Amino acid sequence: MEQQKWEAKVSARLQKATADEIWPLFQDFFGLGKWFPGLSTCHGIHGNNAQLGCIRYCAGFSLSGKTEENPAAVKTNWSKERLIAMDPAARTLSYEMLDGSIGFKNYVSTVKIVPAGGGEGCEIEWGFTVDPVEGWRLEDLVKIYDLGLQSMAKKMEDFLAIS
């Protein structure tokens, strides 16, 4: 019997930045390291930035590593991710994970920047599908994504406020 894919979406509401201001920060596919917490390395390894098929290498984040035997351990993870769709008019992009140390299989993620009703601010929606990961619970993965997105949104909003 085939297992169901895990699917989830998290979102962050920004009060002081518009969708048009936030979108270029995501459109810089090779620049995720500027915004994502704990991501010390992110650069292109194939193709041109923001062009379909381009591939980025990301490392430094820690989704796992702590074990019962070593609860203080921090494991540096890495991934290679390919941009598979981008629609600037709709402010959406999708990417797939090609390889990595996290244990994700058949991972696809979509980010969408949505203008807020009333014209003030925007919302970042980050959804993903992935095969179930051994030793993980979907709820825990969603919490990690939510924390990461909230931190990333704040960093982006703070950057735009001073620039």
Side-chain angles (χ1 to χ4, degrees):
M1 183 172 118
E2 189 176 319
Q3 283 188 303
Q4 290 277 14
K5 283 199 174 289
W6 285 351
E7 291 187 47
K9 181 169 67 171
V10 296
S11 62
R13 178 89 161 87
L14 290 80
Q15 301 294 328
K16 301 173 194 159
T18 68
D20 287 337
E21 292 170 323
I22 291 296
W23 171 247
L25 306 181
F26 278 97
Q27 197 170 6
D28 176 13
F29 190 67
F30 295 163
L32 182 65
K34 298 171 192 168
W35 316 113
F36 195 81
L39 191 62
S40 59
T41 300
C42 183
H43 60 268
I45 58 172
H46 175 77
N48 295 319
N49 193 9
Q51 297 298 308
L52 291 185
C54 71
I55 299 172
R56 68 183 174 198
Y57 173 83
C58 299
F61 54 95
S62 177
L63 292 180
S64 62
K66 295 178 183 173
T67 63
E68 287 182 25
E69 300 81 31
N70 192 358
V74 175
K75 177 182 175 187
T76 300
N77 288 300
W78 63 272
S79 63
K80 291 180 183 175
E81 301 167 346
R82 176 177 30 225
L83 184 63
I84 58 173
M86 184 176 291
D87 182 346
R91 294 182 209 88
T92 63
L93 67 83
S94 296
Y95 63 94
E96 65 183 346
M97 191 174 295
L98 301 174
D99 196 7
S101 64
I102 305 166
F104 289 173
K105 301 226 182 318
N106 298 311
Y107 175 95
V108 175
S109 189
T110 298
V111 174
K112 183 173 186 173
I113 315 302
V114 181
E120 298 258 340
C122 67
E123 188 169 3
I124 302 169
E125 298 174 353
W126 184 8
F128 66 88
T129 62
V130 65
D131 289 349
V133 182
E134 190 174 333
W136 286 65
R137 295 181 327 156
L138 176 57
E139 306 82 56
D140 296 332
L141 187 57
V142 170
K143 284 180 191 174
I144 291 167
Y145 270 74
D146 188 46
L147 286 170
L149 179 58
Q150 300 308 320
S151 176
M152 189 166 68
K154 179 173 179 4
K155 202 171 183 180
M156 289 175 161
E157 196 168 43
D158 290 349
F159 167 78
L160 290 169
I162 61 170
S163 58

